[in-house]
């Protein structure tokens, strides 16, 4: 074991991965990942398929051995321990219920392995079944239950052991939208109730934003950025994060001048865009950047109206205007050749009013809403 | 043309067509039934003859022409000298070789499905080889081996030979069952605190149990049945098939028919029990998702 690996203090993070690498043959699934997950957090690992999020979760659970690096659970090095010696439990995407056992025995499985007394097992199973709204289903076999019910059994089977942390591998992936929404809220409620750390793997950014206190956006085996949903959405650090969480309009820009408050960028078609200086990550250090803005932060103005003072302005022509009910979505072709999306709340009524396709417009936004990211998908050294 | 005429013509046309189709359907289904009955007759006549001649009061050594009905062979089925010991040998060898083959084959199948190791694909091929090789080749090759390493043929070599070909059938049967099994289920068991052995005992084995049972039945039947490989490696030991073969030259005693009928009866009863169990299981595992919580489950 590396001598410079230091165990975190006992009251420190619940889960720590220290420079963890996982290779499958030639493929690098997880590439030098370091992450601390606080006790009691609802932590989401979010990313597209193949980004290494499930492999990361499986290394915490003990189902994959890291090629390099160390895994700590509650301050203890568990890198070489098998799953049955780790104080975490997993909810699998396929639920992985024992088909030959009924709900009662599925849920009691973990307690029986720990030699918990018969009466205690009964009591704890009854408690957890009530919490997951499964009372009355004790004698059912998994095959006799719906997907949503099976999901609850999987959750109850893990929670009944009162683990240090619960690992959830896309637990809602196989359910339909309505049930998914309902279980998202329920999972959040249960997490608050039991107060243990939840690590949730998902590719659904909305699900991550609904449930998690902290989200780590993963791409190609490393974490692009970790933070609250608000931080990730309003101040994404990389182009990947900006476009993975919601829509984002981005345009190449060169830094022209900066002072303590505002930095001035010039786009390739000559427009000046202002960005708060604090958004400029020192790590960017001269590398090419893109300036951006979220669609809902844009205001569309007819081209002949003077632009508001101090706003960032781009010229363009409307290509498509779609009426969405609560909002109108515009696709605008900018003078520099980019395609921008703008969303205006439908406050005036009447759908696509004066600004139809073909109109020349100004795209204006408050510089404080500007996003600044490194050009290209990945953020080196994150 | 009015709509009414068109309609009636269309309807009339349909009716004529429907009558033709119905007649054709009925001819077809009757012909199919007759064909099926003939095929079943072809399958069952030999079995029926075997059973019938166990009740034949045969004159002389041969039991080939029907004389008259009697129960006398059923009264003392093991009275023929050599027959009862041959029959006992066969059942013993079948039981022992099945037990060994199932124990070996189950773990071989687990290794082949669950673990990647050097030579796995070669092993997969070799396991299949005894199924594809003609029995006469296997039997002769085994005999050559036993002669080379100076092992006297007899009871033990029969068991070894039977284990050898049965292992292949067991591996193939259980492997198919394992391949359809979600590996996450075993991971879930380990996640919940079960070590490797407990996981096998509490989760893997119950899940592959139907496959193991099927493999055991198959192995048992194949062992009882085997003549060619056994004949090469039997030495002085006589099994039921060997006894019948030997007796055929001087006349097969009707007691052989009695024992054959007994084996058939056991097999048929086993099949009926299996069918009833399957039915009961199917009705108790029928999805009843829509029933309210706590509602009794039918069956």
């Amino acid at each position: 074991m590396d001598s410079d690996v230091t165990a975190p203090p006992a009251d420190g993070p619940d889960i720590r991965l220290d420079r963890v690498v996982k290779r499958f043959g030639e493929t690098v699934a997880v590439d030098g990942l370091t992450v601390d997950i606080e006790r009691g957090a609802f932590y989401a690992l979010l990313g597209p398929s193949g980004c290494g999020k499930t492999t990361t979760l499986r290394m915490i659970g003990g189902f994959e051995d890291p090629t390099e690096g160390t895994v700590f659970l509650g301050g203890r090095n568990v890198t070489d321990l098998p799953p049955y010696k780790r104080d975490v439990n997993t909810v699998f995407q396929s639920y992985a219920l024992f088909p030959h056992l009924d709900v009662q025995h599925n849920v009691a499985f973990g307690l029986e392995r720990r030699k918990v007394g018969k009466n205690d097992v009964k009591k704890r199973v009854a408690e957890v079944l009530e919490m997951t709204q499964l009372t009355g289903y004790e004698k059912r076999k998994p095959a006799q239950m719906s997907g949503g019910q099976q999901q609850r059994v999987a959750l109850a089977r893990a929670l009944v052991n009162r683990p240090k942390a619960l690992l959830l591998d896309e637990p809602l992936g196989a359910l339909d939208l309505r049930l998914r929404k309902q279980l998202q809220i329920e999972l959040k409620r249960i997490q608050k109730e039991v107060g243990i750390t939840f690590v949730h793997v998902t590719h659904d950014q909305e699900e991550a934003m609904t449930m998690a206190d902290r989200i780590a956006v993963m791409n190609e085996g490393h974490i692009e950025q970790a933070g609250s949903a608000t931080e990730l959405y309003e101040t994404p650090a990389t182009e990947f994060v900006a476009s993975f969480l919601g829509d984002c309009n981005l345009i190449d820009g060169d830094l022209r001048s900066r002072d303590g408050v505002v930095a001035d960028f010039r786009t390739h078609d000559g427009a000046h865009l202002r960005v708060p200086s604090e958004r400029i990550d020192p790590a960017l250090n001269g590398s090419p950047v893109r300036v951006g803005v979220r669609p809902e932060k844009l205001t569309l103005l007819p081209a002949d109206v003077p632009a508001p003072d101090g706003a960032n302005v781009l010229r363009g022509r409307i290509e498509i205007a779609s009426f969405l009910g609560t909002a109108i979505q515009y696709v605008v072709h900018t003078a520099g050749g980019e395609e921008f999306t703008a969303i205006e709340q439908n406050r005036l009524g009447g759908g696509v009013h004066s600004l139809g396709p073909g109109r020349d417009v100004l795209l204006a936004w408050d510089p404080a809403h500007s996003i600044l990211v490194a050009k290209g998908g990945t953020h080196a050294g994150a | 043309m009015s709509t009414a005429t068109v309609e009636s013509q269309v309807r009339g046309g349909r009716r004529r067509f429907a009558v033709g189709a119905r007649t054709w359907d009925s001819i077809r289904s009757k012909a199919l039934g007759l064909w099926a009955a003939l095929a079943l007759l072809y399958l069952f006549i030999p079995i029926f003859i075997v059973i019938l001649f166990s009740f034949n009061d045969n004159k002389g050594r041969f039991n080939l022409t029907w004389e008259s009905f009697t129960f006398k062979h059923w009264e003392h089925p093991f009275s023929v000298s050599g027959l009862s010991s041959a029959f006992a040998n066969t059942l013993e060898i079948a039981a022992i070789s099945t037990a060994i083959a199932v124990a070996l084959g189950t773990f071989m199948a687990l290794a082949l499905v669950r673990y990647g190791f050097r030579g796995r694909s070669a092993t997969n091929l070799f396991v299949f080889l005894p199924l594809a090789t003609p029995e006469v080749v296997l039997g002769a090759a085994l005999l050559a081996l036993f002669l080379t390493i100076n092992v006297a043929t007899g009871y033990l070599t029969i068991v070894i030979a039977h284990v050898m070909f049965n292992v292949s059938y067991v591996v193939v049967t259980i492997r198919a069952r394992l391949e359809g099994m979600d590996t996450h289920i075993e991971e879930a068991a380990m996640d919940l605190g079960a070590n490797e052995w407990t996981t096998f005992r509490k989760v893997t084995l119950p899940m592959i149990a139907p496959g193991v049972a099927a493999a055991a039945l198959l192995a048992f039947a194949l062992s009882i049945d085997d003549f060619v490989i056994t004949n090469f490696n039997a030495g002085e030991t006589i099994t039921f098939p060997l006894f019948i073969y030997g007796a055929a030259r001087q006349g097969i005693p009707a007691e052989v028919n009695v024992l054959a009928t007994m084996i058939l009866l056991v097999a048929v009863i086993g099949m009926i029990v299996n069918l009833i169990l399957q039915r009961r299981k199917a009705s108790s595992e029928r999805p009843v998702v829509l029933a309210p919580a706590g509602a009794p489950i039918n069956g």
Side-chain angles (χ1 to χ4, degrees), chain A residues 43-370:
Chain A
Y43 199 98
L45 293 172
L46 173 67
S49 58
C51 73
K53 56 190 192 299
T54 293
T55 307
T56 304
L57 196 79
R58 289 173 61 80
M59 287 192 289
I60 301 174
F63 305 112
E64 304 284 358
D65 293 329
T67 316
E68 290 168 29
T70 322
V71 180
F72 294 100
L73 290 179
R76 188 163 151 246
N77 183 347
V78 298
T79 315
D80 298 320
L81 291 185
Y84 51 85
K85 288 191 179 155
R86 298 189 186 199
D87 196 9
V88 293
N89 286 115
T90 307
V91 176
F92 293 87
Q93 183 174 13
S94 56
Y95 315 136
L97 300 177
F98 306 125
H100 58 294
L101 300 179
D102 61 16
V103 170
Q104 172 82 28
H105 288 96
N106 259 285
V107 176
F109 193 91
L111 297 178
E112 283 165 2
R113 300 286 81 72
R114 286 178 177 78
K115 309 268 184 272
V116 176
K118 263 214 166 84
N119 289 331
D120 263 6
V121 170
K122 249 191 171 155
K123 211 180 103 217
R124 279 169 73 174
V125 170
E127 270 169 24
V128 80
L129 287 183
E130 197 189 328
M131 186 200 288
T132 49
Q133 299 169 18
L134 282 168
T135 309
Y137 288 88
E138 288 85 352
K139 295 280 165 270
R140 294 275 181 94
K141 290 273 183 72
Q144 299 167 315
M145 306 182 89
S146 70
Q149 289 168 337
Q150 291 185 36
Q151 209 281 332
R152 283 167 214 262
V153 177
L155 190 65
R157 186 177 68 173
L159 280 175
V160 77
N161 306 294
R162 298 175 189 154
K164 256 203 187 67
L166 191 72
L167 311 177
L168 302 117
D169 184 9
E170 305 241 9
L172 310 177
L175 303 174
D176 66 58
L177 187 68
R178 203 174 57 86
L179 202 54
R180 204 153 64 212
K181 296 265 174 231
Q182 188 191 327
L183 280 167
Q184 282 174 9
I185 296 163
E186 210 168 308
L187 265 178
K188 185 80 191 156
R189 171 183 70 78
I190 288 170
Q191 196 257 344
K192 287 266 171 290
E193 212 172 303
V194 297
I196 59 175
T197 313
F198 275 38
V199 184
H200 181 112
V201 159
T202 180
H203 65 267
D204 180 344
Q205 44 112 355
E206 210 181 307
E207 187 172 300
M209 290 168 96
T210 310
M211 297 163 77
D213 315 318
R214 266 183 95 71
I215 302 169
V217 181
M218 287 188 68
N219 183 33
E220 292 177 354
H222 66 265
I223 292 177
E224 291 265 333
Q225 190 181 0
S228 70
T230 320
E231 280 164 25
L232 294 176
Y233 189 79
E234 303 296 356
T235 55
T238 67
E239 192 171 341
F240 180 84
V241 175
S243 48
F244 196 77
L245 268 85
D247 284 331
C248 194
N249 301 304
L250 291 168
I251 187 164
D252 291 346
D254 296 317
L255 181 64
R256 279 304 155 110
S257 64
R258 68 181 284 189
D259 55 35
V261 188
V262 160
D264 186 43
F265 287 86
R266 212 173 116 186
T267 66
H268 60 96
D269 61 320
H272 284 270
L273 299 175
R274 279 174 296 274
V275 178
S277 285
E278 70 200 24
R279 297 276 161 85
I280 302 174
D281 187 341
L284 289 173
N285 195 24
S287 54
V289 296
R290 308 193 82 184
V291 180
V293 61
R294 298 281 184 191
E296 72 281 2
K297 307 276 177 15
L298 280 170
T299 309
L300 283 190
L301 299 165
D304 44 8
V305 172
D309 267 357
N312 284 338
V313 178
L314 287 175
R315 299 190 160 272
R317 175 173 289 163
I318 294 179
E319 281 201 340
I320 303 167
S322 340
F323 180 65
L324 305 177
T326 59
I328 301 151
Q329 178 180 301
Y330 298 95
V331 177
V332 179
H333 208 75
T334 65
E338 280 85 11
E339 247 182 25
F340 267 43
T341 306
I343 291 180
E344 302 250 286
Q345 287 301 309
N346 178 17
R347 282 198 215 87
L348 304 174
V352 183
H353 44 95
S354 55
L355 291 173
R359 282 285 300 264
D360 286 323
V361 289
L362 300 179
L363 290 160
W365 73 91
D366 185 339
H369 292 149
S370 292

